Amino acid sequence: MDDLEEFKEKFTAYWNGRAEGFYDLRRKELASDMHLRWLQEIESRLPQGEALSILDIGCGPGLFSCMLAGRGHTVLGIDIADEMIAEAHRLSKELNVDATFAVMDAEQPTLEPGSFDAIVTRNLTWGLPHLDQAYATWRRLLKPGGALICFDADYVHEQVSLPDVPGSADSVISDDQREAYQEFKDTLRPIQRKRPAWDVELLQKACYSDIEVDEGLWKRIYLERDELYNPSPMFAVVARA
């Protein structure tokens, strides 16, 4: 994509503008049973070990990072939006957990190869213009046998919106933000194929092994149609380095 830098600048500005609202939603998620559902989904896919080194890519306000750090793992959360990282620091301090955060491009993280037992990511990969390159780069960051755990949905091909619930993610964004979000999907649609089948192809090309797809994830997570509800059928893809 020739306008990659311009796209990323707009994308970063968009998520910076939503950082505080996302922090509020993640605090509500922590106060609900939903965070326990997510924790179970992650832990059931992690490699064996009590104290793993985990990279949370596109960490946003740090929910997964803090949850996993609270379980005794060494966690680094990265995000391209500096305001999201500021909110992640805020959350870790409030929860008194020892997670580390840094502003970094998900497609080109400046980290040492072979540093992590696992990489986790949620609702990030749909917005990466070069997902094939990202998957290949992430594999190099994993230790042999390390796991990539990706939770996402085929957002760019869908035509759904969040329910009209006060406080939901869709209800708290401005018209400009709503328009920008649609523009991102319009830009990415021509270069993305249907997911998660496309993810499997990309992961195979990047030399991952033991690739597993779970398209029923969303049914186990979103049990209530409340402000945290996501109508998009989220899937899980797990692969080993």
Side-chain angles (χ1 to χ4, degrees):
M1 180 184 296
D2 294 336
D3 340 272
L4 174 59
E5 291 310 314
E6 182 182 355
F7 176 91
K8 284 191 175 181
E9 286 177 10
K10 291 180 178 179
F11 204 66
T12 303
Y14 173 84
W15 289 112
N16 273 329
R18 297 196 63 184
E20 187 174 356
F22 258 58
Y23 171 84
D24 292 338
L25 286 171
R26 298 293 78 83
R27 287 295 286 154
K28 291 174 182 176
E29 191 168 337
L30 278 169
S32 74
D33 290 336
M34 189 177 291
H35 82 281
L36 297 176
R37 297 172 205 157
W38 277 113
L39 192 58
Q40 182 177 8
E41 295 291 342
I42 299 169
E43 290 188 326
S44 67
R45 296 173 169 91
L46 286 174
Q48 300 250 337
E50 293 184 359
L52 303 176
S53 176
I54 300 175
L55 176 63
D56 180 8
I57 302 183
C59 67
L63 177 68
F64 278 8
S65 299
C66 290
M67 285 164 42
L68 291 166
R71 303 288 279 185
H73 301 295
T74 300
V75 185
L76 169 63
I78 64 172
D79 202 286
I80 198 170
D82 59 311
E83 292 296 328
M84 285 289 189
I85 291 299
E87 297 293 5
H89 281 296
R90 176 184 170 192
L91 184 63
S92 66
K93 288 180 182 178
E94 287 191 6
L95 298 178
N96 194 28
V97 295
D98 189 17
T100 304
F101 300 99
V103 177
M104 210 172 291
D105 186 338
E107 291 188 339
Q108 303 171 32
T110 52
L111 299 166
E112 288 296 317
S115 297
F116 300 96
D117 297 299
I119 292 173
V120 299
T121 180
R122 178 172 76 164
N123 289 333
L124 166 77
T125 52
W126 74 269
L128 299 182
H130 297 134
L131 184 54
D132 56 342
Q133 296 177 22
Y135 278 153
T137 298
W138 298 352
R139 187 185 183 282
R140 292 192 289 272
L141 297 179
L142 288 168
K143 299 175 183 178
L148 167 63
I149 305 169
C150 172
F151 302 112
D152 215 332
D154 197 7
Y155 292 113
V156 304
H157 292 112
E158 69 178 3
Q159 298 295 328
V160 301
S161 59
L162 290 166
D164 187 16
V165 176
S168 68
D170 198 44
S171 71
V172 297
I173 65 175
S174 68
D175 290 341
D176 287 345
Q177 288 172 327
R178 198 183 311 274
E179 182 178 339
Y181 177 65
Q182 290 303 322
E183 287 179 0
F184 295 143
K185 295 204 294 185
D186 291 343
T187 300
L188 294 168
R189 194 172 298 115
I191 62 174
Q192 288 193 15
R193 289 159 56 190
K194 293 292 288 182
R195 305 180 66 190
W198 187 47
D199 296 78
V200 174
E201 290 182 26
L202 296 180
L203 291 166
Q204 288 173 337
K205 288 179 182 178
C207 299
Y208 287 83
S209 61
D210 301 327
I211 302 168
E212 299 179 3
V213 175
D214 180 354
E215 296 190 66
L217 170 78
W218 63 283
K219 296 178 182 178
R220 298 189 299 273
I221 295 291
Y222 297 103
L223 305 182
E224 303 89 15
R225 286 182 171 264
D226 57 12
E227 58 195 339
L228 299 173
Y229 182 75
N230 182 352
S232 305
M234 288 191 70
F235 55 78
V237 177
V238 182
R240 302 281 172 173

